[in-house]
Amino acid sequence: MGLSGLQIYKLLPKTNCKECGYPTCLAFGMKLAAKQAELSACPYVSDEAKQALEAAAAPPIRLVTVGSGDKKVEVGNETVLFRHEKTFFHQPGLFVRLKDTMPLAEFEAAVEQVSGYKVERVGIELWVDGIAVENASGDGANFAKYVAAARSKADRPLVLIASEPASMASALEQTDGSAPLIYAAAADNWEAMADLAAKHHAPLAVRTDGDLSALAELTEQIKDAGIEDIVLDPGLRDLKGSLAAQTQLRRLALKSNFRPLGYPIVAFPGEGVDSREEEAIQAAQHIAKYAGIVILDHFDPATVYPLLTLRLNIFTDPQKPIQVSPGLYEISNPQTDSPLLVTTNFSLTYFSVAGEVEGSGKPTWLLVCDSEGMSVLTGWAAGKFDAEKIAKSVQQFGVPSKVSHKKIVIPGLVSTISGELEEELPGWEILVGPREAIHIPAYLRTWE
Amino acid sequence: MPVTVQLPKEKWTGTVREVTLGAAAAEGGTRKKIVTVGGESTLPFLTFEGEIPNRPLVALEIQDRYPDDWSDLLKHVWGETMQDAAVWAQKAEEYDADLIALKLQSAHPEGDNTDAAQAAKTTKSVLAATGLPLIVYGPGQAEKDNEVLVAVAEAAEGDRIALGNCEDKNYRTIVAAALAHGHLVVAKSPIDVNLAKQLNILISDMRLDLDRILMDPTTGSLGYGLEYTYSVMERLRVAALTGDSMTQQPMICTVGEEAWRSKESKVNEGVPEAWGDWDQRSINWEVLTATTLIEAGADIVVLRHPESVKLVKKAISGLMAA
Ligand code: B12
Ligand code: SF4
């Protein structure tokens, strides 16, 4: 949270020399507080004051990057407790944990499976962010070998899990400046772990067993040792405890502006449960309630796909539904006599329909109206997808110049508008399609 | 240097109303089990700053006709029991449902168009088959809803069932029926705080006590509008806890109906391999929709798959742990 103009003034030289372009240090301080001036405009500000001001301007939850390159994961820097207050900005990274006690070939295959996984939803490609390698063998050289294997099989961010600093050190030698998350510094090893984090410019996870005061004490020590990219593990593994702890951490950062705990959170949903379904439930809670990194113990598309979908939902900006551009879309090279369907520009609606049309193999025109990103019924109820709008879109996107017939298929859910649409589009035949997109292929098969 | 963290606590001033479903013999009903929802004086499960006196409940949805349009997975798991609402209800009780939600689908004018007498008969047979509290939904067409729910209210006299749905354009007849026969209502509004409040006001203006109203904020399932429902529920619950009286009703979400409508649950032909095993994926779809909404404040979730009931109830136990 920012400082007030008066608080900033106290840190300035108070000489009123005017070199910053303002008549007094106080005036300059006011401008700084309003973010209308840059601190660098004052040549006399002390290093101490600079640091204090920068720290005060820092976000309440630090943005931490795990990994490097285009698949890196950036988490933290959230500003609200509820998504309706603004939006959540940085979706949690999903990782899958693999142990260095698996046979190497199996490990490599698993790494390839996880990193090769991708799935598309509403035109957005989703994937699992990275791999967490755990030093379950306790052997440093073995750990290093598995981490090297993970690196060579997948260009993805890593989390390295080991409690022995020596093991961690040998594994880090294999990571080549790729900034893996080091898990974890605890009360008994934090100095050595912090040294490694500094040496490899890698973020450092800090763990305690449920005691937030102890956690804050540790992060303060680690920060004093020069490490700033910190990730918190409050150590609770049950549904109720983790919800409480993660809520407290978010509140402490945002409401109390409590710096020692102003970092993203790492969570292990598989540790306190009996099955992968329960792991998914816990992971879902972490996605909605405040985790930055979620490390799964199972990789199964039947749970990962719903979790990725949930993450997409929760991290959608509530002010802006995901939309596609309105227009006349060509699917499978339509001819002038191909069928013409009309829908809205809400991404979910568009992709549900376009996906089915594509799957049917039938060349088709799809007219996408500007419903301001609303679904069929929502758009209809709000007057953004009605007869008038559809008729206007027919002209606006030049349908008559591309399509030789005068038949238009409307979504089954808005069958009631066909009369009005006949009036708006004189000479057109209004056909009512099925209510659900999955029945479109069968419907198109009946079209001559 | 030791650091002491001051845990921030909200001082909530409002409480969600408690609503009791079902009545035992002593109160003039026939239910073997009575349930109470609501009563929260803090956000979901944050008991470090308030009370969560009642656990969220799981209802299983049954229908009064064989649901041809349901996913094959559901038809498979329920099998022949779906031919008879009473048998189905009994089975749902065996599967550990807390409540039964009976939808009178056969009354739909575009379907079998069965009449009020039939609805009353079905209700009685379901009440006889199970000791659980009951929620009864009309077919979802205003005139027909009114017609059958009036008969249902009379048939279930004394059993304190919930009648749904009351919507802004159609609530009077249903509320009157609830008043006349000692029942509750489900007030459904389309994902909007003000519309939800307004409907509660309209209903309570008819002198139905507020401890007899459940509100349904309208459910969008995972991938199909979940985020809208999630946020409107968080807003409603925050409003309730800050003392806005007309938002203090327990919330009910029709999770099963919405989750099992999604393509992910309905079909397995020509879908990407990355969607994973059909059965598992569909159950996860329903379960994650349910638990996410429970963590946003749902007091009752209506589900369709028995396996989901098990998983959601276990999650609720975890969230309610001492
Ligand atoms: C999420 C949602 C919202 C979101 C908006 C989401 C969005 N971006 O559109 C919010 C919360 C903002 C919202 C607002 C409103 N909503 Co709303 N909303 C929903 C909800 C829960 C889901 C809608 C959805 O996303 N569906 C998924 C998409 C993919 O479905 P779809 O567009 O219909 O497409 C499918 C089919 O139609 C078909 N299809 C699509 N195109 C085509 C084309 C052809 C040719 C064919 C054949 C098929 C086809 O394929 C798709 C997949 O099967 C529904 C209830 C429900 N559970 O369905 C209510 C619902 C649509 N809303 C409703 C209402 C009334 C409203 C409001 C007017 C309420 C209000 N006064 O505030 C507002 C209107 C908007 C405004 N004024 O701001 C009502 C509409 C009632 C009616 N029958 O008219 C509904 C049905 C809820 C209800 N039962 O009351 N809503
Ligand atoms: S340049 Fe610095 S010292 Fe001079 S008036 Fe501006 S703020 Fe004050």
Side-chain angles (χ1 to χ4, degrees), chain B residues 166-200:
Chain B
C166 289
E167 299 188 59
D168 62 345
K169 290 197 188 65
N170 191 57
Y171 64 93
R172 293 179 169 278
T173 308
I174 303 172
V175 173
L179 273 167
H181 302 284
H183 299 305
L184 323 176
V185 298
V186 180
K188 182 171 181 177
S189 52
I191 319 190
D192 186 289
V193 172
N194 290 323
L195 294 178
K197 281 173 70 168
Q198 200 182 331
L199 183 56
N200 292 339

Side-chain angles (χ1 to χ4, degrees), chain A residues 23-182:
Chain A
T24 60
C25 293
L26 179 60
F28 182 61
M30 293 298 195
K31 287 287 166 187
L32 279 177
K35 298 199 163 55
Q36 289 164 352
E38 291 288 331
L39 185 62
S40 55
C42 169
Y44 307 109
V45 66
S46 69
D47 283 348
E48 216 175 298
K50 230 184 244 168
Q51 265 176 21
L53 285 168
E54 272 163 15
I61 300 174
R62 188 175 170 84
L63 184 71
V64 173
T65 303
V66 178
S68 57
D70 60 351
K71 290 272 194 300
K72 71 179 179 218
V73 173
E74 288 185 321
V75 292
N77 204 2
E78 298 298 340
T79 58
V80 290
L81 276 151
F82 300 104
R83 58 188 290 285
H84 64 253
E85 293 173 315
K86 184 166 178 71
T87 185
F88 291 169
F89 291 97
H90 293 96
Q91 59 177 28
L94 277 192
F95 287 70
V96 173
R97 166 157 57 182
L98 300 170
K99 297 183 177 171
D100 70 351
T101 43
M102 286 169 86
L104 187 61
E106 239 174 70
F107 175 87
E108 287 176 332
V111 170
E112 280 178 338
Q113 192 193 14
V114 171
S115 62
Y117 179 81
K118 53 177 195 263
V119 62
E120 198 191 284
R121 195 172 172 84
V122 294
I124 297 170
E125 195 158 279
L126 310 171
W127 61 85
V128 176
D129 295 278
I131 312 281
V133 188
E134 176 168 334
N135 182 211
S137 70
D139 178 47
N142 188 59
F143 189 36
K145 186 167 85 183
Y146 277 73
V147 169
R151 287 270 295 155
S152 77
K153 292 287 169 199
D155 181 20
R156 288 296 170 87
L158 296 180
V159 177
L160 307 185
I161 303 178
S163 49
E164 268 308 315
S167 286
M168 190 61 80
S170 38
L172 279 165
E173 293 305 328
Q174 305 297 327
T175 58
D176 209 13
S178 63
L181 175 63
I182 299 176

Side-chain angles (χ1 to χ4, degrees), chain B residues 17-255:
Chain B
R17 290 190 179 84
E18 287 194 324
V19 170
T20 297
L21 288 105
E27 297 104 45
T30 61
R31 300 301 80 204
K32 301 211 169 57
K33 202 178 150 194
I34 313 293
V35 296
T36 298
V37 289
E40 299 93 333
S41 58
T42 176
L43 288 169
F45 313 108
L46 300 186
T47 49
F48 57 81
E49 65 188 14
E51 304 286 319
I52 307 284
N54 303 299
R55 49 187 284 143
L57 300 179
V58 176
L60 263 168
E61 177 182 346
I62 66 171
Q63 300 204 351
D64 67 341
R65 72 184 284 279
Y66 188 82
D68 307 293
D69 59 332
W70 279 23
S71 165
D72 287 343
L73 296 173
L74 291 168
K75 289 182 191 159
H76 182 251
V77 64
W78 289 105
E80 286 304 298
T81 53
M82 297 166 112
Q83 301 286 1
D84 180 333
V87 178
W88 194 349
Q90 238 161 21
K91 194 79 188 161
E93 185 169 352
E94 275 170 41
Y95 282 134
D96 205 23
D98 299 311
L99 298 147
I100 303 294
L102 166 66
K103 176 144 187 190
L104 297 170
Q105 188 64 34
S106 76
H108 203 288
E110 285 164 27
D112 299 349
N113 203 15
T114 55
D115 62 9
Q118 178 69 33
K121 200 172 137 214
T122 307
T123 304
K124 281 192 168 143
S125 75
V126 169
L127 285 170
T130 172
L132 298 180
L134 192 63
I135 303 166
V136 181
Y137 290 108
Q141 198 264 353
E143 281 151 43
K144 210 53 201 287
D145 278 0
N146 291 345
E147 188 186 324
V148 297
L149 290 175
V150 167
V152 165
E154 199 185 320
E157 170 102 40
D159 264 327
R160 204 175 164 92
I161 66 170
L163 303 168
N165 285 318
C166 289
E167 299 188 59
D168 62 345
K169 290 197 188 65
N170 191 57
Y171 64 93
R172 293 179 169 278
T173 308
I174 303 172
V175 173
L179 273 167
H181 302 284
H183 299 305
L184 323 176
V185 298
V186 180
K188 182 171 181 177
S189 52
I191 319 190
D192 186 289
V193 172
N194 290 323
L195 294 178
K197 281 173 70 168
Q198 200 182 331
L199 183 56
N200 292 339
I201 293 170
L202 290 171
I203 292 173
S204 64
D205 280 352
M206 285 185 67
R207 307 212 171 276
L208 187 70
D209 292 337
L210 284 161
D211 66 1
R212 283 162 69 183
I213 304 174
L214 295 167
M215 69 181 169
D216 178 345
T218 298
T219 302
S221 79
L222 181 59
Y224 297 88
L226 174 74
E227 69 274 33
Y228 293 99
T229 302
Y230 180 82
S231 284
V232 94
M233 288 174 70
E234 290 204 323
R235 290 177 58 198
L236 281 164
R237 187 49 52 87
V238 169
L241 296 176
T242 38
D244 184 344
S245 173
M246 285 301 154
T247 60
Q248 293 171 336
Q249 305 312 121
M251 294 189 275
I252 176 167
C253 293
T254 54
V255 170

Side-chain angles (χ1 to χ4, degrees), chain A residues 9 12-29 32 39 41-45:
Chain A
Y9 166 71
L12 294 173
K14 303 189 191 108
T15 54
N16 301 335
C17 77
K18 301 187 176 57
E19 278 183 50
C20 56
Y22 295 94
T24 60
C25 293
L26 179 60
F28 182 61
L32 279 177
L39 185 62
C42 169
Y44 307 109
V45 66

Side-chain angles (χ1 to χ4, degrees), chain A residues 82-84 117 121 213 217 240 248 251-252 255 274 277-278 285 289 302-303 305 310 313 348 356, chain B residues 2-3 5-6 8 10 47-49 223 227 231 234-235 263-264 274-275 280 284 295 314 319 321:
Chain A
F82 300 104
R83 58 188 290 285
H84 64 253
Y117 179 81
R121 195 172 172 84
S213 296
E217 201 170 312
K240 185 176 181 187
Q248 291 290 18
R251 283 188 186 172
L252 280 161
K255 300 201 127 184
D274 302 326
E277 289 76 26
E278 288 169 47
Q285 182 193 79
K289 293 288 179 199
T303 48
Y305 174 49
L310 178 67
N313 285 171
L348 183 59
E356 296 300 338
Chain B
V3 181
V5 174
Q6 278 294 329
E10 298 285 347
T47 49
F48 57 81
E49 65 188 14
E227 69 274 33
S231 284
E234 290 204 323
R235 290 177 58 198
K263 179 169 181 181
E264 281 77 0
W275 283 14
Q280 285 307 319
N284 286 333
E295 286 163 352
K314 187 160 180 201
L319 289 162

